Amino acid sequence: MRISTGMLYQTGVNTIQKQTAQMLQTQQQVATGRRIVSPADDPIASARALEITQAQGINAQQQINQGYAKDALGLMENKLAAVEELVIHTRTRAVAAGNGTYAPSELKAIATDVRASFDSMLALANSQNGQGEYLFSGYQADVKPYAGTLDGVTYQGDQGQRTLQVSPSRLMSVSNAGSEVFDAVRQEPGKFFAVPVAPNGGTGHIAQAQTTGAYTGTRYDIQWDGTNYNVTDADTGAAIVSQSGPTLTFGAVQLEMGGTPNVGDSFEVGPRASVFNMYTNMVRALENPSPTVGIQGAVAQAIDGMDRSLDQVLTVRASVGSRMVEISTLESVGSDLDVQYAQTLSRLQDVDYAEAVSNLTLQQTYLQASQQSFLRINQLSLFNYLS
């Protein structure tokens, strides 16, 4: 094999460059703490590390969402606790109003207190979070859910529940529609609620309500036309009966109407009712007792209505509480996942410093030897011996 001077130079330079590149690679590993400086160093490990990094990012975002969800649910739980206290207070006032020795002035004082409780309940139903979003308006966070007065309150939100992705497989609701909390108070089977509905301008109310047979849950609408109370089936619109009152009897229902309704004022009978309408009926009865049956029937319905309202609030509050417990569990799982992801990335990417420093020292030695040998070899030319 013929070896030329040019070949000696080129081979020496190539060897020095190769060893310099290897030393630079090891130096970068030591400086960055990463075994994989570029994907070419370990394509399979690089691809796996990319997958883990993406999963870690998703987990971090879901942990942020868990924090948002925890804050939203905590605020809602706080508002529901206030609603619960208010319902209990109103029930207490209804029990006090049932005292047969109370004078009209004392009943009016209780009515004033109940009016204040109604205003507080309406304010709670229109609660907002720190961003100005309404808690109980469904998807329409910028729409005030309830509007009206004691004459009648209407729900302006929708039935939606806002959600957040709090885990790869869990889309959690972080709100409850107001209609589920305040407008879906359920009566026991075989019983019904009878209350005024919006908008009523008169003092008409249900002074007494009782069954005359097996009530099956049919919903009825009642409207005063100035002469008669016209009863229709709320689901079909079919006319049931038209009676002048104050006693109304239809189906398995018997009502004693009290107060003085305005033309067009409406009432409803059904297995569900709004807590706001219960407040309206209670205040109207306290301020304008029926001359025939007094307030005992209205008070009894108010007490029963507050009991059922409390059941509904507790049901929703229990649901919120269970979601808060789930969030705590997911936070723990997310933290564990962070640790696992970090361990996996460390195993895939992190450099073994002892090995890397040892390799760096060895490569420096190799490079120095190559440089010294190159200096010696490039002096072997015959021209160096010509005189």
Side-chain angles (χ1 to χ4, degrees):
M1 178 179 179
R2 186 176 179 180
I3 300 176
S4 66
T5 301
M7 180 180 177
L8 287 175
Y9 273 89
Q10 188 61 48
T11 302
V13 170
N14 289 344
T15 301
I16 291 173
Q17 287 179 337
K18 179 179 179 181
Q19 291 176 344
T20 301
Q22 290 175 344
M23 189 179 69
L24 179 61
Q25 170 77 8
T26 305
Q27 182 192 25
Q28 288 179 318
Q29 290 177 338
V30 173
T32 62
R34 291 287 184 265
R35 180 177 65 86
I36 304 173
V37 178
S38 69
D41 297 336
D42 190 339
I44 295 177
S46 295
R48 179 60 179 154
L50 179 60
E51 292 176 357
I52 297 298
T53 301
Q54 290 174 337
Q56 192 177 42
I58 293 172
N59 186 57
Q61 181 58 58
Q62 288 170 350
Q63 285 181 307
I64 294 174
N65 290 351
Q66 290 166 11
Y68 291 150
K70 190 174 184 178
D71 292 341
L73 291 172
L75 179 59
M76 189 161 62
E77 200 279 337
N78 177 271
K79 298 300 181 182
L80 290 174
V83 171
E84 178 184 335
E85 292 179 2
L86 199 57
V87 169
I88 292 173
H89 172 75
T90 303
R91 185 189 188 283
T92 301
R93 302 307 290 157
V95 171
N99 188 331
T101 63
Y102 275 10
S105 60
E106 293 173 305
L107 294 178
K108 289 185 182 297
I110 294 177
T112 300
D113 187 14
V114 176
R115 277 180 176 272
S117 296
F118 169 87
D119 292 337
S120 298
M121 182 69 74
L122 188 59
L124 288 172
N126 288 326
S127 297
Q128 296 173 276
N129 60 20
Q131 288 74 46
E133 298 173 334
Y134 290 98
L135 301 183
F136 299 108
S137 60
Y139 291 132
Q140 304 182 60
D142 59 340
V143 174
K144 188 176 181 179
Y146 286 96
T149 63
L150 194 69
D151 291 333
V153 174
T154 56
Y155 182 59
Q156 303 177 118
D158 56 36
Q159 311 305 313
Q161 292 184 338
R162 281 162 265 170
T163 58
L164 281 173
Q165 189 80 41
V166 293
S167 79
S169 59
R170 182 68 165 102
L171 192 64
M172 178 175 287
S173 168
V174 295
S175 71
N176 286 81
S179 55
E180 181 183 354
V181 181
F182 304 98
D183 298 334
V185 182
R186 298 171 177 83
Q187 184 55 281
E188 296 178 356
K191 295 183 179 181
F192 59 84
F193 290 118
V195 291
V197 294
N200 283 4
T203 61
H205 61 273
I206 310 298
Q208 190 174 61
Q210 56 189 1
T211 58
T212 58
Y215 175 70
T216 59
T218 304
R219 296 171 54 246
Y220 299 100
D221 287 333
I222 306 170
Q223 189 173 66
W224 174 249
D225 64 6
T227 303
N228 293 314
Y229 292 97
N230 301 302
V231 182
T232 58
D233 187 307
D235 296 318
T236 66
I240 302 299
V241 71
S242 179
Q243 298 174 347
S244 60
T247 303
L248 306 180
T249 303
F250 51 92
V253 175
Q254 181 173 317
L255 305 178
E256 187 72 24
M257 308 301 291
T260 305
N262 286 352
V263 174
D265 281 359
S266 300
F267 308 84
E268 65 180 10
V269 172
R272 292 188 180 187
S274 165
V275 67
F276 298 111
N277 293 340
M278 295 179 192
Y279 272 95
T280 299
N281 197 69
M282 182 177 175
V283 171
R284 296 285 187 251
L286 291 173
E287 293 178 340
N288 301 274
S290 168
T292 56
V293 298
I295 65 167
Q296 296 304 315
V299 165
Q301 182 175 228
I303 294 173
D304 185 47
M306 291 303 117
D307 286 340
R308 303 287 79 77
S309 298
L310 184 60
D311 290 343
Q312 184 65 20
V313 172
L314 290 175
T315 298
V316 177
R317 192 177 177 189
S319 173
V320 172
S322 67
R323 280 174 274 169
M324 294 179 70
V325 171
E326 184 180 355
I327 284 292
S328 297
T329 302
L330 290 174
E331 285 178 332
S332 177
V333 172
S335 297
D336 291 342
L337 279 176
D338 269 342
V339 174
Q340 293 176 7
Y341 289 146
Q343 290 175 342
T344 303
L345 285 175
S346 176
R347 185 175 65 253
L348 291 171
Q349 294 181 322
D350 289 356
V351 69
D352 184 336
Y353 275 102
E355 180 183 2
V357 171
S358 177
N359 289 338
L360 182 61
T361 302
L362 186 61
Q363 288 163 353
Q364 286 175 327
T365 302
Y366 288 159
L367 178 60
Q368 290 171 356
S370 296
Q371 291 170 339
Q372 292 299 320
S373 64
F374 179 71
L375 288 175
R376 290 180 180 276
I377 289 173
N378 67 17
Q379 295 176 2
L380 295 179
S381 171
L382 291 176
F383 293 102
N384 292 334
Y385 297 95
L386 295 177
S387 57

